[in-house]
Amino acid sequence: MTGAFTRLREHVPEASDGILTSAGICEGFAGAGVGPRVLLFAGFAGLVAGTLAMGAVEYSKLRAGHDRQAAQLGAERARLQAAPAAELDELTGLYVARGLSPALARQVAVELTAHDALAAHAEAEYGITPGSLTAPLRDTLGQLVDFDHLGRQRVRLSVGAVNVRSGEMRYFDSRDMPVTAEHIMASGALPPAFPAIMIDGEYYWDGGIYSNTPIEVVLDDVPRRNSLIFSVNVWQPTGDHPVTIQQVMTRHKDIQFASRGKTHVARQAQLHRLRHVVRELAKRIPAERQNDPVVRDLAEYGCGTQMHLVRFLSPRLDNEDHTKDIDFTRSGIERRWKAGFDHATKVLGEKPWEKPCDSLAGIVIHESSPSQP
C-alpha cells in the first residue's frame, strides 16, 4: 500500500447481516490488486461470514425439526422450575432403565443435574445433545474452514461473543488460543434464530448484540503498530424520519445495531491523540531528566503510531426493510454482494489513507458513503 506503514492489518468487524456486503468487499479487494496476504486476511473474514450464511440457510431447511426440539426444551425447562424433585426422580428412573443400579443412577442424576439439569434431561428423554440444534452449521464450518491452518497462525482471527450470564464481551483470538468452530458459531449466534453456544462452561451469543462495531479491540491491541483498518458498517447510523410502522421498525433496528460506532471511534481518536501529545512532550524534557524513573514511566504512555480507519458504509437498497438481516433470498444475496463489491472498488481506488494528514492524529478516519443504487 504505502511505505508509511510498518505493518498492514485488515480487520473487518461484521454483523451477522454483513456477510453478503463483506463478501462483495473481498471481491473488490481482489479486483483492486490487493496483495495475497491482504486478500487472505480479508477473504478469510468474508469466508467465515459467508459460511455463517450457509449455516443459516441450512438451519432454515431444518427449521421444522429444530422448532420441535426447541418446544421440547422449553417444556422441560418449565417442568424443572416447577417440580425439580420430581424431575430428579424421573431422571434417576431413566438411568435405571438403561442398566445402572438404583444407587449409581441416583448419583449420576444428582451430579448431572447440578452441572446442567436441562442438558441432562434433554439427552436422557429426547436424545437432544447441546450441539444438535447447530450441527448443520458446525458441519459446514468443518468443511470450509481449515482450522489447522488457522492454528499455525499464518493469519490472525479474532471473534467476539457476549456472555449470556454476565453480559460481558469476550474475544477469542487465534494469536492467543486455538479458535474452533464453536468460537465462530458463538460469534454468530444471533438470538432468537440461533441458540447460545457453550464454551468453557459458559453460554455465548453473537457479540453484535453487545457491540456491533467492536473497533476498540483492534485499536487497543498491544503492541501498537501503524495500521490500515477496514471496518464494515452494514447498519445505517443516519436516516430519515420514519412515517410508517415498517419504516419505524427499520430505523429502530438501524439505530440499535449501529452500536454507537461513531462515538466509539471518536473516543478512541481522542485517546490516541493524547498518546501523541505525551510523546511530543516527552521529547521536550531536558536530557538530564530523561533517565528519571518517574519521567520514563510517564513517557511510556506516549505513542507515535498512526492508524487509518476506513469505514465502509453499506448502501441503502431499494425496498429493503427491517428483515434485511435475515434476507437470504437469491436476489437479496446478489444485491448485497454487488453493493459491497462496488463500494470496495470505489474506496480502494481512491486510497484516502495516502493523503496528507495531521501528524498528531493517532487515528485518521476515512468515511465514504457509497453511491445509492
Side-chain angles (χ1 to χ4, degrees):
M1 290 285 187
T2 172
F5 300 110
T6 58
R7 182 183 178 196
L8 180 64
R9 295 183 298 165
E10 285 69 41
H11 295 269
V12 188
E14 297 172 301
S16 60
D17 61 303
I19 49 185
L20 307 174
T21 301
S22 299
I25 285 174
C26 290
E27 186 180 11
F29 277 25
V34 179
R37 180 175 178 178
V38 174
L39 182 61
L40 178 61
F41 209 116
F44 188 86
L47 170 62
V48 171
T51 303
L52 293 179
M54 295 177 65
V57 173
E58 186 67 18
Y59 179 87
S60 178
K61 293 178 180 178
L62 301 176
R63 182 173 57 188
H66 289 172
D67 285 349
R68 183 186 68 254
Q69 292 180 338
Q72 291 171 333
L73 291 174
E76 188 63 40
R77 185 181 291 107
R79 288 194 292 271
L80 284 167
Q81 294 175 345
E87 289 298 301
L88 181 60
D89 291 339
E90 180 187 27
L91 188 59
T92 301
L94 290 172
Y95 291 136
V96 169
R98 292 186 179 184
L100 298 183
S101 66
L104 181 57
R106 187 69 173 187
Q107 180 183 351
V108 171
V110 169
E111 292 187 7
L112 289 179
T113 297
H115 176 67
D116 191 329
L118 182 59
H121 280 266
E123 191 281 328
E125 294 185 45
Y126 308 111
I128 301 175
T129 60
S132 62
L133 291 174
T134 52
L137 177 54
R138 183 182 291 101
D139 293 342
T140 302
L141 282 167
Q143 294 170 12
L144 297 184
V145 180
D146 187 343
F147 288 101
D148 290 335
H149 180 80
L150 183 61
R152 291 193 288 271
Q153 299 187 356
R154 302 286 179 83
V155 293
R156 179 180 171 188
L157 174 66
S158 180
V159 294
V162 62
N163 186 301
V164 177
R165 179 184 56 81
S166 68
E168 295 295 324
M169 193 77 158
R170 180 178 177 184
Y171 293 96
F172 304 98
D173 196 316
S174 63
R175 180 189 62 180
D176 307 320
M177 61 181 292
V179 172
T180 67
E182 279 67 28
H183 298 118
I184 295 176
M185 290 167 63
S187 74
L190 185 64
F194 289 92
I197 303 298
M198 178 179 282
I199 299 174
D200 300 332
E202 296 281 358
Y203 284 101
Y204 291 89
W205 274 329
D206 183 343
I209 66 175
Y210 180 90
S211 175
N212 223 21
T213 311
I215 198 69
E216 64 275 1
V217 72
V218 178
L219 300 177
D220 288 337
D221 193 33
V222 176
R224 298 186 187 89
R225 299 176 177 88
N226 292 328
S227 306
L228 177 57
I229 305 166
F230 297 98
S231 173
V232 178
N233 298 265
V234 178
W235 298 98
Q236 300 291 335
T238 61
D240 296 330
H241 178 74
V243 295
T244 68
I245 187 63
Q246 187 176 46
Q247 291 174 355
V248 167
M249 295 173 69
T250 301
R251 188 67 194 126
H252 171 266
K253 189 173 279 191
D254 276 343
I255 295 173
Q256 180 180 8
F257 288 109
S259 296
R260 305 179 305 281
K262 214 165 188 176
T263 303
H264 292 325
V265 171
R267 179 62 173 165
Q268 288 288 335
Q270 182 184 38
L271 290 173
H272 281 262
R273 186 177 184 87
L274 288 175
R275 292 189 178 105
H276 277 232
V277 170
V278 170
R279 181 171 179 266
E280 292 302 314
L281 288 174
K283 291 179 181 179
R284 288 161 172 74
I285 294 177
E288 62 271 16
R289 299 292 306 277
Q290 292 286 338
N291 291 325
D292 185 310
V294 175
V295 172
R296 287 204 307 268
D297 288 343
L298 293 175
E300 287 181 359
Y301 285 94
C303 179
T305 59
Q306 192 166 68
M307 302 181 185
H308 287 257
L309 174 62
V310 182
R311 301 184 74 219
F312 287 91
L313 296 181
S314 176
R316 296 186 186 278
L317 303 181
D318 291 338
N319 301 319
E320 71 176 6
D321 56 24
H322 64 282
T323 65
K324 66 179 181 179
D325 55 327
I326 55 174
D327 176 15
F328 294 107
T329 62
R330 178 177 295 276
S331 61
I333 289 173
E334 290 175 348
R335 291 199 307 157
R336 281 268 168 231
W337 188 294
K338 185 177 185 304
F341 173 80
D342 291 344
H343 189 34
T345 301
K346 174 179 179 290
V347 175
L348 291 174
E350 294 171 349
K351 298 182 180 180
W353 52 86
E354 293 186 352
K355 298 177 181 178
C357 59
D358 182 358
S359 61
L360 285 180
I363 300 176
V364 183
I365 303 170
H366 309 281
E367 186 171 301
S368 176
S369 298
S371 300
Q372 299 301 316

